[in-house]
Amino acid sequence: KNKNKVTRERSDEYYLIHLCNDILDQKAFHQFTFEDLVGDEHKKNRKTTALPLDAYYPELNLVLEFLEEEREPSANPKKIERLTVSGVTRAEQRKIYQKRKQIYLKENQIFLIEIRYSLFEQDERKNLLRNREEDILILKNILKKHIK
């Protein structure tokens, strides 16, 4: 579990959120969930899981979601075709959940900014190069309405 936490904290998402924290002079809640923003029912027990938001700034009434470009299909066709409990592929389920988040936040008057990783310089494996100065300029432009 600790290994997953360390890996997550070294991720491009966390890197960008920390830059946003500095720019906004606020500390985001990472992977924040609202009790009533949930995914589809689980197959076995009819429970649902709250859908996590990448970064939530309650004082600013702001959510940041970091979006990846659609990736090349996996080399494993079984994995591509495998359906979720909802009867759709994992890629389609991600789209459905992102739309669900958009609707929920709009209905609750929480401002949403979706930031595409493709805005930032990346290597051939789609990892951010992490040019701090350039990344900050891009984020400042995106967040300009929320900077104090």
Side-chain angles (χ1 to χ4, degrees):
K1 195 171 186 178
N2 281 340
K3 184 180 177 187
N4 287 342
K5 183 180 180 189
V6 170
T7 301
R8 195 170 44 248
E9 289 176 355
R10 290 182 179 160
S11 71
D12 288 339
E13 176 185 306
Y14 272 59
Y15 162 74
L16 290 174
I17 290 171
H18 286 294
L19 293 181
C20 291
N21 287 349
D22 292 344
I23 292 166
L24 296 169
D25 196 27
Q26 300 274 326
K27 188 167 179 5
F29 287 97
H30 293 260
Q31 299 299 301
F32 184 84
T33 58
F34 288 102
E35 207 173 275
D36 53 343
L37 175 57
V38 296
D40 297 333
E41 289 182 352
H42 297 271
K43 191 176 192 175
K44 296 178 182 173
N45 56 16
R46 296 229 175 261
K47 289 185 179 180
T48 57
T49 302
L51 298 177
L53 301 165
D54 294 336
Y56 175 51
Y57 297 90
E59 289 183 30
L60 299 173
N61 201 33
L62 173 66
V63 166
L64 303 180
E65 283 283 288
F66 296 91
L67 305 178
E68 296 178 18
E69 305 307 311
E70 287 194 35
R71 293 185 173 171
E72 296 283 322
S74 168
N76 183 347
K78 287 183 180 179
K79 192 173 185 179
I80 298 169
E81 296 165 7
R82 188 180 315 145
L83 300 181
T84 65
V85 73
S86 308
V88 297
T89 64
R90 183 72 183 119
E92 189 61 31
Q93 187 179 51
R94 281 191 178 132
K95 290 177 190 174
I96 291 167
Y97 284 178
Q98 194 60 32
K99 188 69 174 167
R100 193 173 293 175
K101 290 176 186 181
Q102 292 167 348
I103 292 167
Y104 178 90
L105 294 170
K106 185 174 184 178
E107 286 175 350
N108 289 279
Q109 300 175 347
I110 299 170
F111 197 74
L112 169 66
I113 298 177
E114 295 177 326
I115 301 172
R116 297 199 174 279
Y117 287 111
S118 61
L119 295 172
F120 304 91
E121 223 179 329
Q122 301 174 4
D123 65 18
E124 65 283 346
R125 297 179 71 200
K126 302 287 183 193
N127 295 316
L128 299 187
L129 293 181
R130 299 188 184 201
N131 182 331
R132 185 175 167 83
E133 290 82 29
E134 286 183 29
D135 297 343
I136 287 173
L137 288 174
I138 292 167
L139 289 168
K140 277 185 176 180
N141 187 47
I142 293 168
L143 299 170
K144 61 186 165 201
K145 291 181 183 176
H146 302 279
I147 298 172
K148 294 179 182 178

PDB file of all heavy atoms in Angstrom, residues 54 62-67 94-95 97-103 105 111-117 119-120 139 142-143:
ATOM      1  N   ASP A  54      -9.584  14.669  -9.091  1.00  0.00           N
ATOM      2  CA  ASP A  54      -8.132  14.788  -8.999  1.00  0.00           C
ATOM      3  C   ASP A  54      -7.697  15.804  -7.943  1.00  0.00           C
ATOM      4  O   ASP A  54      -6.843  15.514  -7.116  1.00  0.00           O
ATOM      5  CB  ASP A  54      -7.537  15.149 -10.357  1.00  0.00           C
ATOM      6  CG  ASP A  54      -7.722  14.034 -11.383  1.00  0.00           C
ATOM      7  OD1 ASP A  54      -7.881  12.862 -10.985  1.00  0.00           O
ATOM      8  OD2 ASP A  54      -7.709  14.347 -12.586  1.00  0.00           O
ATOM      9  N   LEU A  62     -13.490  24.979  -6.486  1.00  0.00           N
ATOM     10  CA  LEU A  62     -12.845  24.626  -7.741  1.00  0.00           C
ATOM     11  C   LEU A  62     -12.370  23.178  -7.727  1.00  0.00           C
ATOM     12  O   LEU A  62     -11.802  22.709  -6.737  1.00  0.00           O
ATOM     13  CB  LEU A  62     -11.640  25.553  -7.960  1.00  0.00           C
ATOM     14  CG  LEU A  62     -10.710  25.270  -9.128  1.00  0.00           C
ATOM     15  CD1 LEU A  62     -11.417  25.483 -10.464  1.00  0.00           C
ATOM     16  CD2 LEU A  62      -9.467  26.160  -9.034  1.00  0.00           C
ATOM     17  N   VAL A  63     -12.607  22.487  -8.849  1.00  0.00           N
ATOM     18  CA  VAL A  63     -12.097  21.139  -9.063  1.00  0.00           C
ATOM     19  C   VAL A  63     -11.219  21.156 -10.305  1.00  0.00           C
ATOM     20  O   VAL A  63     -11.578  21.758 -11.319  1.00  0.00           O
ATOM     21  CB  VAL A  63     -13.245  20.116  -9.246  1.00  0.00           C
ATOM     22  CG1 VAL A  63     -12.730  18.791  -9.800  1.00  0.00           C
ATOM     23  CG2 VAL A  63     -13.976  19.897  -7.939  1.00  0.00           C
ATOM     24  N   LEU A  64     -10.073  20.496 -10.214  1.00  0.00           N
ATOM     25  CA  LEU A  64      -9.210  20.296 -11.374  1.00  0.00           C
ATOM     26  C   LEU A  64      -9.217  18.815 -11.716  1.00  0.00           C
ATOM     27  O   LEU A  64      -9.060  17.967 -10.831  1.00  0.00           O
ATOM     28  CB  LEU A  64      -7.772  20.722 -11.075  1.00  0.00           C
ATOM     29  CG  LEU A  64      -7.539  22.154 -10.610  1.00  0.00           C
ATOM     30  CD1 LEU A  64      -6.046  22.387 -10.374  1.00  0.00           C
ATOM     31  CD2 LEU A  64      -8.087  23.152 -11.599  1.00  0.00           C
ATOM     32  N   GLU A  65      -9.419  18.514 -12.975  1.00  0.00           N
ATOM     33  CA  GLU A  65      -9.344  17.152 -13.474  1.00  0.00           C
ATOM     34  C   GLU A  65      -8.275  17.135 -14.559  1.00  0.00           C
ATOM     35  O   GLU A  65      -8.287  17.985 -15.463  1.00  0.00           O
ATOM     36  CB  GLU A  65     -10.684  16.706 -14.073  1.00  0.00           C
ATOM     37  CG  GLU A  65     -11.747  16.345 -13.052  1.00  0.00           C
ATOM     38  CD  GLU A  65     -11.510  14.986 -12.439  1.00  0.00           C
ATOM     39  OE1 GLU A  65     -11.701  13.974 -13.128  1.00  0.00           O
ATOM     40  OE2 GLU A  65     -11.116  14.936 -11.255  1.00  0.00           O
ATOM     41  N   PHE A  66      -7.370  16.180 -14.474  1.00  0.00           N
ATOM     42  CA  PHE A  66      -6.297  16.044 -15.452  1.00  0.00           C
ATOM     43  C   PHE A  66      -6.655  14.921 -16.414  1.00  0.00           C
ATOM     44  O   PHE A  66      -6.915  13.795 -15.985  1.00  0.00           O
ATOM     45  CB  PHE A  66      -4.966  15.801 -14.743  1.00  0.00           C
ATOM     46  CG  PHE A  66      -4.572  16.975 -13.895  1.00  0.00           C
ATOM     47  CD1 PHE A  66      -4.941  17.049 -12.567  1.00  0.00           C
ATOM     48  CD2 PHE A  66      -3.888  18.041 -14.456  1.00  0.00           C
ATOM     49  CE1 PHE A  66      -4.618  18.155 -11.793  1.00  0.00           C
ATOM     50  CE2 PHE A  66      -3.560  19.154 -13.696  1.00  0.00           C
ATOM     51  CZ  PHE A  66      -3.926  19.211 -12.362  1.00  0.00           C
ATOM     52  N   LEU A  67      -6.690  15.251 -17.690  1.00  0.00           N
ATOM     53  CA  LEU A  67      -7.183  14.313 -18.696  1.00  0.00           C
ATOM     54  C   LEU A  67      -6.070  13.827 -19.604  1.00  0.00           C
ATOM     55  O   LEU A  67      -5.302  14.624 -20.149  1.00  0.00           O
ATOM     56  CB  LEU A  67      -8.271  14.974 -19.544  1.00  0.00           C
ATOM     57  CG  LEU A  67      -9.454  15.577 -18.782  1.00  0.00           C
ATOM     58  CD1 LEU A  67     -10.410  16.242 -19.749  1.00  0.00           C
ATOM     59  CD2 LEU A  67     -10.161  14.525 -17.959  1.00  0.00           C
ATOM     60  N   ARG A  94     -14.822   5.290 -18.591  1.00  0.00           N
ATOM     61  CA  ARG A  94     -14.114   6.514 -18.168  1.00  0.00           C
ATOM     62  C   ARG A  94     -14.808   7.766 -18.700  1.00  0.00           C
ATOM     63  O   ARG A  94     -14.941   8.764 -18.007  1.00  0.00           O
ATOM     64  CB  ARG A  94     -12.663   6.480 -18.654  1.00  0.00           C
ATOM     65  CG  ARG A  94     -11.775   5.624 -17.813  1.00  0.00           C
ATOM     66  CD  ARG A  94     -10.317   5.862 -18.201  1.00  0.00           C
ATOM     67  NE  ARG A  94      -9.458   5.077 -17.352  1.00  0.00           N
ATOM     68  CZ  ARG A  94      -8.476   4.316 -17.791  1.00  0.00           C
ATOM     69  NH1 ARG A  94      -8.200   4.261 -19.070  1.00  0.00           N
ATOM     70  NH2 ARG A  94      -7.740   3.627 -16.950  1.00  0.00           N
ATOM     71  N   LYS A  95     -15.235   7.708 -19.959  1.00  0.00           N
ATOM     72  CA  LYS A  95     -15.945   8.841 -20.557  1.00  0.00           C
ATOM     73  C   LYS A  95     -17.264   9.100 -19.824  1.00  0.00           C
ATOM     74  O   LYS A  95     -17.622  10.253 -19.550  1.00  0.00           O
ATOM     75  CB  LYS A  95     -16.221   8.591 -22.041  1.00  0.00           C
ATOM     76  CG  LYS A  95     -14.990   8.623 -22.907  1.00  0.00           C
ATOM     77  CD  LYS A  95     -15.351   8.297 -24.351  1.00  0.00           C
ATOM     78  CE  LYS A  95     -14.131   8.089 -25.213  1.00  0.00           C
ATOM     79  NZ  LYS A  95     -14.463   7.647 -26.560  1.00  0.00           N
ATOM     80  N   TYR A  97     -18.029   8.306 -16.734  1.00  0.00           N
ATOM     81  CA  TYR A  97     -17.747   8.828 -15.400  1.00  0.00           C
ATOM     82  C   TYR A  97     -17.292  10.284 -15.455  1.00  0.00           C
ATOM     83  O   TYR A  97     -17.648  11.086 -14.595  1.00  0.00           O
ATOM     84  CB  TYR A  97     -16.703   7.966 -14.686  1.00  0.00           C
ATOM     85  CG  TYR A  97     -17.240   6.644 -14.165  1.00  0.00           C
ATOM     86  CD1 TYR A  97     -16.400   5.748 -13.530  1.00  0.00           C
ATOM     87  CD2 TYR A  97     -18.577   6.278 -14.303  1.00  0.00           C
ATOM     88  CE1 TYR A  97     -16.867   4.532 -13.038  1.00  0.00           C
ATOM     89  CE2 TYR A  97     -19.057   5.073 -13.822  1.00  0.00           C
ATOM     90  CZ  TYR A  97     -18.197   4.198 -13.189  1.00  0.00           C
ATOM     91  OH  TYR A  97     -18.661   3.007 -12.701  1.00  0.00           O
ATOM     92  N   GLN A  98     -16.513  10.649 -16.477  1.00  0.00           N
ATOM     93  CA  GLN A  98     -16.086  12.044 -16.596  1.00  0.00           C
ATOM     94  C   GLN A  98     -17.288  12.947 -16.836  1.00  0.00           C
ATOM     95  O   GLN A  98     -17.396  14.021 -16.260  1.00  0.00           O
ATOM     96  CB  GLN A  98     -15.043  12.197 -17.711  1.00  0.00           C
ATOM     97  CG  GLN A  98     -14.312  13.523 -17.672  1.00  0.00           C
ATOM     98  CD  GLN A  98     -13.542  13.747 -16.373  1.00  0.00           C
ATOM     99  OE1 GLN A  98     -13.045  12.809 -15.747  1.00  0.00           O
ATOM    100  NE2 GLN A  98     -13.448  14.992 -15.948  1.00  0.00           N
ATOM    101  N   LYS A  99     -18.209  12.493 -17.674  1.00  0.00           N
ATOM    102  CA  LYS A  99     -19.439  13.258 -17.937  1.00  0.00           C
ATOM    103  C   LYS A  99     -20.273  13.365 -16.656  1.00  0.00           C
ATOM    104  O   LYS A  99     -20.826  14.423 -16.360  1.00  0.00           O
ATOM    105  CB  LYS A  99     -20.232  12.589 -19.068  1.00  0.00           C
ATOM    106  CG  LYS A  99     -21.399  13.388 -19.531  1.00  0.00           C
ATOM    107  CD  LYS A  99     -20.938  14.627 -20.250  1.00  0.00           C
ATOM    108  CE  LYS A  99     -22.100  15.379 -20.847  1.00  0.00           C
ATOM    109  NZ  LYS A  99     -21.707  16.713 -21.283  1.00  0.00           N
ATOM    110  N   ARG A 100     -20.349  12.274 -15.896  1.00  0.00           N
ATOM    111  CA  ARG A 100     -21.092  12.280 -14.636  1.00  0.00           C
ATOM    112  C   ARG A 100     -20.501  13.306 -13.670  1.00  0.00           C
ATOM    113  O   ARG A 100     -21.230  14.038 -12.990  1.00  0.00           O
ATOM    114  CB  ARG A 100     -21.057  10.876 -14.022  1.00  0.00           C
ATOM    115  CG  ARG A 100     -22.032  10.669 -12.901  1.00  0.00           C
ATOM    116  CD  ARG A 100     -22.075   9.215 -12.459  1.00  0.00           C
ATOM    117  NE  ARG A 100     -22.641   8.381 -13.504  1.00  0.00           N
ATOM    118  CZ  ARG A 100     -22.714   7.057 -13.453  1.00  0.00           C
ATOM    119  NH1 ARG A 100     -22.271   6.410 -12.389  1.00  0.00           N
ATOM    120  NH2 ARG A 100     -23.224   6.361 -14.442  1.00  0.00           N
ATOM    121  N   LYS A 101     -19.188  13.385 -13.619  1.00  0.00           N
ATOM    122  CA  LYS A 101     -18.525  14.381 -12.768  1.00  0.00           C
ATOM    123  C   LYS A 101     -18.868  15.794 -13.234  1.00  0.00           C
ATOM    124  O   LYS A 101     -19.179  16.673 -12.423  1.00  0.00           O
ATOM    125  CB  LYS A 101     -17.005  14.185 -12.794  1.00  0.00           C
ATOM    126  CG  LYS A 101     -16.517  12.943 -12.097  1.00  0.00           C
ATOM    127  CD  LYS A 101     -15.002  12.812 -12.279  1.00  0.00           C
ATOM    128  CE  LYS A 101     -14.451  11.526 -11.749  1.00  0.00           C
ATOM    129  NZ  LYS A 101     -12.984  11.424 -11.908  1.00  0.00           N
ATOM    130  N   GLN A 102     -18.801  16.026 -14.547  1.00  0.00           N
ATOM    131  CA  GLN A 102     -19.112  17.347 -15.101  1.00  0.00           C
ATOM    132  C   GLN A 102     -20.520  17.785 -14.707  1.00  0.00           C
ATOM    133  O   GLN A 102     -20.731  18.916 -14.271  1.00  0.00           O
ATOM    134  CB  GLN A 102     -18.981  17.333 -16.625  1.00  0.00           C
ATOM    135  CG  GLN A 102     -17.575  17.158 -17.128  1.00  0.00           C
ATOM    136  CD  GLN A 102     -17.530  16.833 -18.622  1.00  0.00           C
ATOM    137  OE1 GLN A 102     -18.528  16.516 -19.250  1.00  0.00           O
ATOM    138  NE2 GLN A 102     -16.331  16.885 -19.180  1.00  0.00           N
ATOM    139  N   ILE A 103     -21.470  16.898 -14.877  1.00  0.00           N
ATOM    140  CA  ILE A 103     -22.869  17.216 -14.559  1.00  0.00           C
ATOM    141  C   ILE A 103     -23.035  17.477 -13.065  1.00  0.00           C
ATOM    142  O   ILE A 103     -23.661  18.459 -12.658  1.00  0.00           O
ATOM    143  CB  ILE A 103     -23.804  16.074 -15.034  1.00  0.00           C
ATOM    144  CG1 ILE A 103     -23.829  16.029 -16.568  1.00  0.00           C
ATOM    145  CG2 ILE A 103     -25.211  16.238 -14.467  1.00  0.00           C
ATOM    146  CD1 ILE A 103     -24.455  14.773 -17.153  1.00  0.00           C
ATOM    147  N   LEU A 105     -20.830  18.456 -10.813  1.00  0.00           N
ATOM    148  CA  LEU A 105     -20.190  19.700 -10.397  1.00  0.00           C
ATOM    149  C   LEU A 105     -20.984  20.912 -10.871  1.00  0.00           C
ATOM    150  O   LEU A 105     -21.152  21.878 -10.127  1.00  0.00           O
ATOM    151  CB  LEU A 105     -18.743  19.736 -10.897  1.00  0.00           C
ATOM    152  CG  LEU A 105     -17.826  18.679 -10.267  1.00  0.00           C
ATOM    153  CD1 LEU A 105     -16.494  18.613 -10.983  1.00  0.00           C
ATOM    154  CD2 LEU A 105     -17.652  18.916  -8.769  1.00  0.00           C
ATOM    155  N   PHE A 111     -16.946  24.986  -9.756  1.00  0.00           N
ATOM    156  CA  PHE A 111     -16.255  25.265 -11.009  1.00  0.00           C
ATOM    157  C   PHE A 111     -15.299  24.127 -11.335  1.00  0.00           C
ATOM    158  O   PHE A 111     -14.558  23.653 -10.482  1.00  0.00           O
ATOM    159  CB  PHE A 111     -15.508  26.592 -10.897  1.00  0.00           C
ATOM    160  CG  PHE A 111     -15.117  27.151 -12.228  1.00  0.00           C
ATOM    161  CD1 PHE A 111     -16.049  27.723 -13.071  1.00  0.00           C
ATOM    162  CD2 PHE A 111     -13.801  27.090 -12.653  1.00  0.00           C
ATOM    163  CE1 PHE A 111     -15.693  28.225 -14.311  1.00  0.00           C
ATOM    164  CE2 PHE A 111     -13.420  27.583 -13.881  1.00  0.00           C
ATOM    165  CZ  PHE A 111     -14.379  28.155 -14.717  1.00  0.00           C
ATOM    166  N   LEU A 112     -15.315  23.679 -12.575  1.00  0.00           N
ATOM    167  CA  LEU A 112     -14.466  22.586 -13.040  1.00  0.00           C
ATOM    168  C   LEU A 112     -13.529  23.086 -14.132  1.00  0.00           C
ATOM    169  O   LEU A 112     -13.964  23.725 -15.079  1.00  0.00           O
ATOM    170  CB  LEU A 112     -15.326  21.442 -13.602  1.00  0.00           C
ATOM    171  CG  LEU A 112     -14.601  20.340 -14.375  1.00  0.00           C
ATOM    172  CD1 LEU A 112     -13.664  19.557 -13.453  1.00  0.00           C
ATOM    173  CD2 LEU A 112     -15.609  19.408 -15.038  1.00  0.00           C
ATOM    174  N   ILE A 113     -12.254  22.762 -13.973  1.00  0.00           N
ATOM    175  CA  ILE A 113     -11.282  23.009 -15.032  1.00  0.00           C
ATOM    176  C   ILE A 113     -10.659  21.669 -15.391  1.00  0.00           C
ATOM    177  O   ILE A 113     -10.119  20.977 -14.528  1.00  0.00           O
ATOM    178  CB  ILE A 113     -10.178  24.001 -14.601  1.00  0.00           C
ATOM    179  CG1 ILE A 113     -10.783  25.364 -14.274  1.00  0.00           C
ATOM    180  CG2 ILE A 113      -9.121  24.129 -15.711  1.00  0.00           C
ATOM    181  CD1 ILE A 113      -9.770  26.382 -13.768  1.00  0.00           C
ATOM    182  N   GLU A 114     -10.785  21.309 -16.660  1.00  0.00           N
ATOM    183  CA  GLU A 114     -10.174  20.080 -17.155  1.00  0.00           C
ATOM    184  C   GLU A 114      -8.886  20.456 -17.878  1.00  0.00           C
ATOM    185  O   GLU A 114      -8.898  21.291 -18.775  1.00  0.00           O
ATOM    186  CB  GLU A 114     -11.140  19.350 -18.091  1.00  0.00           C
ATOM    187  CG  GLU A 114     -12.393  18.867 -17.364  1.00  0.00           C
ATOM    188  CD  GLU A 114     -13.403  18.206 -18.269  1.00  0.00           C
ATOM    189  OE1 GLU A 114     -13.534  18.620 -19.441  1.00  0.00           O
ATOM    190  OE2 GLU A 114     -14.079  17.282 -17.785  1.00  0.00           O
ATOM    191  N   ILE A 115      -7.807  19.846 -17.454  1.00  0.00           N
ATOM    192  CA  ILE A 115      -6.481  20.171 -17.975  1.00  0.00           C
ATOM    193  C   ILE A 115      -5.925  18.939 -18.680  1.00  0.00           C
ATOM    194  O   ILE A 115      -5.785  17.882 -18.066  1.00  0.00           O
ATOM    195  CB  ILE A 115      -5.539  20.618 -16.837  1.00  0.00           C
ATOM    196  CG1 ILE A 115      -6.125  21.841 -16.120  1.00  0.00           C
ATOM    197  CG2 ILE A 115      -4.140  20.915 -17.390  1.00  0.00           C
ATOM    198  CD1 ILE A 115      -5.374  22.245 -14.863  1.00  0.00           C
ATOM    199  N   ARG A 116      -5.613  19.090 -19.932  1.00  0.00           N
ATOM    200  CA  ARG A 116      -5.079  17.969 -20.717  1.00  0.00           C
ATOM    201  C   ARG A 116      -3.559  17.906 -20.555  1.00  0.00           C
ATOM    202  O   ARG A 116      -2.862  18.907 -20.667  1.00  0.00           O
ATOM    203  CB  ARG A 116      -5.438  18.126 -22.187  1.00  0.00           C
ATOM    204  CG  ARG A 116      -6.925  18.093 -22.418  1.00  0.00           C
ATOM    205  CD  ARG A 116      -7.264  17.791 -23.868  1.00  0.00           C
ATOM    206  NE  ARG A 116      -8.694  17.630 -24.020  1.00  0.00           N
ATOM    207  CZ  ARG A 116      -9.361  16.521 -23.738  1.00  0.00           C
ATOM    208  NH1 ARG A 116      -8.713  15.470 -23.300  1.00  0.00           N
ATOM    209  NH2 ARG A 116     -10.662  16.442 -23.887  1.00  0.00           N
ATOM    210  N   TYR A 117      -3.079  16.697 -20.325  1.00  0.00           N
ATOM    211  CA  TYR A 117      -1.634  16.499 -20.219  1.00  0.00           C
ATOM    212  C   TYR A 117      -0.927  16.906 -21.506  1.00  0.00           C
ATOM    213  O   TYR A 117       0.231  17.312 -21.482  1.00  0.00           O
ATOM    214  CB  TYR A 117      -1.311  15.030 -19.912  1.00  0.00           C
ATOM    215  CG  TYR A 117      -1.635  14.627 -18.491  1.00  0.00           C
ATOM    216  CD1 TYR A 117      -2.682  13.755 -18.222  1.00  0.00           C
ATOM    217  CD2 TYR A 117      -0.897  15.104 -17.425  1.00  0.00           C
ATOM    218  CE1 TYR A 117      -2.973  13.369 -16.915  1.00  0.00           C
ATOM    219  CE2 TYR A 117      -1.181  14.730 -16.123  1.00  0.00           C
ATOM    220  CZ  TYR A 117      -2.226  13.863 -15.881  1.00  0.00           C
ATOM    221  OH  TYR A 117      -2.509  13.489 -14.589  1.00  0.00           O
ATOM    222  N   LEU A 119      -1.049  19.467 -23.104  1.00  0.00           N
ATOM    223  CA  LEU A 119      -0.638  20.874 -23.093  1.00  0.00           C
ATOM    224  C   LEU A 119       0.825  21.034 -22.673  1.00  0.00           C
ATOM    225  O   LEU A 119       1.443  22.057 -22.912  1.00  0.00           O
ATOM    226  CB  LEU A 119      -1.511  21.684 -22.132  1.00  0.00           C
ATOM    227  CG  LEU A 119      -2.980  21.813 -22.493  1.00  0.00           C
ATOM    228  CD1 LEU A 119      -3.742  22.469 -21.348  1.00  0.00           C
ATOM    229  CD2 LEU A 119      -3.145  22.601 -23.779  1.00  0.00           C
ATOM    230  N   PHE A 120       1.344  20.001 -22.038  1.00  0.00           N
ATOM    231  CA  PHE A 120       2.684  20.050 -21.477  1.00  0.00           C
ATOM    232  C   PHE A 120       3.633  19.197 -22.308  1.00  0.00           C
ATOM    233  O   PHE A 120       3.226  18.222 -22.932  1.00  0.00           O
ATOM    234  CB  PHE A 120       2.658  19.552 -20.027  1.00  0.00           C
ATOM    235  CG  PHE A 120       1.690  20.318 -19.171  1.00  0.00           C
ATOM    236  CD1 PHE A 120       0.373  19.886 -19.036  1.00  0.00           C
ATOM    237  CD2 PHE A 120       2.078  21.477 -18.529  1.00  0.00           C
ATOM    238  CE1 PHE A 120      -0.535  20.591 -18.267  1.00  0.00           C
ATOM    239  CE2 PHE A 120       1.183  22.199 -17.765  1.00  0.00           C
ATOM    240  CZ  PHE A 120      -0.135  21.758 -17.633  1.00  0.00           C
ATOM    241  N   LEU A 139       0.022  26.670 -16.575  1.00  0.00           N
ATOM    242  CA  LEU A 139      -0.987  26.567 -15.517  1.00  0.00           C
ATOM    243  C   LEU A 139      -1.498  27.934 -15.079  1.00  0.00           C
ATOM    244  O   LEU A 139      -2.698  28.093 -14.807  1.00  0.00           O
ATOM    245  CB  LEU A 139      -0.431  25.785 -14.328  1.00  0.00           C
ATOM    246  CG  LEU A 139      -0.235  24.297 -14.572  1.00  0.00           C
ATOM    247  CD1 LEU A 139       0.587  23.665 -13.459  1.00  0.00           C
ATOM    248  CD2 LEU A 139      -1.579  23.586 -14.736  1.00  0.00           C
ATOM    249  N   ILE A 142      -4.127  28.962 -17.450  1.00  0.00           N
ATOM    250  CA  ILE A 142      -5.360  28.192 -17.256  1.00  0.00           C
ATOM    251  C   ILE A 142      -6.101  28.647 -16.005  1.00  0.00           C
ATOM    252  O   ILE A 142      -7.331  28.732 -15.988  1.00  0.00           O
ATOM    253  CB  ILE A 142      -5.029  26.679 -17.167  1.00  0.00           C
ATOM    254  CG1 ILE A 142      -4.516  26.174 -18.521  1.00  0.00           C
ATOM    255  CG2 ILE A 142      -6.237  25.874 -16.705  1.00  0.00           C
ATOM    256  CD1 ILE A 142      -3.898  24.783 -18.471  1.00  0.00           C
ATOM    257  N   LEU A 143      -5.363  28.951 -14.953  1.00  0.00           N
ATOM    258  CA  LEU A 143      -5.954  29.260 -13.645  1.00  0.00           C
ATOM    259  C   LEU A 143      -6.131  30.753 -13.378  1.00  0.00           C
ATOM    260  O   LEU A 143      -6.532  31.120 -12.281  1.00  0.00           O
ATOM    261  CB  LEU A 143      -5.068  28.655 -12.541  1.00  0.00           C
ATOM    262  CG  LEU A 143      -4.895  27.141 -12.561  1.00  0.00           C
ATOM    263  CD1 LEU A 143      -3.806  26.720 -11.584  1.00  0.00           C
ATOM    264  CD2 LEU A 143      -6.204  26.449 -12.260  1.00  0.00           C
TER     265      LEU A 143
END
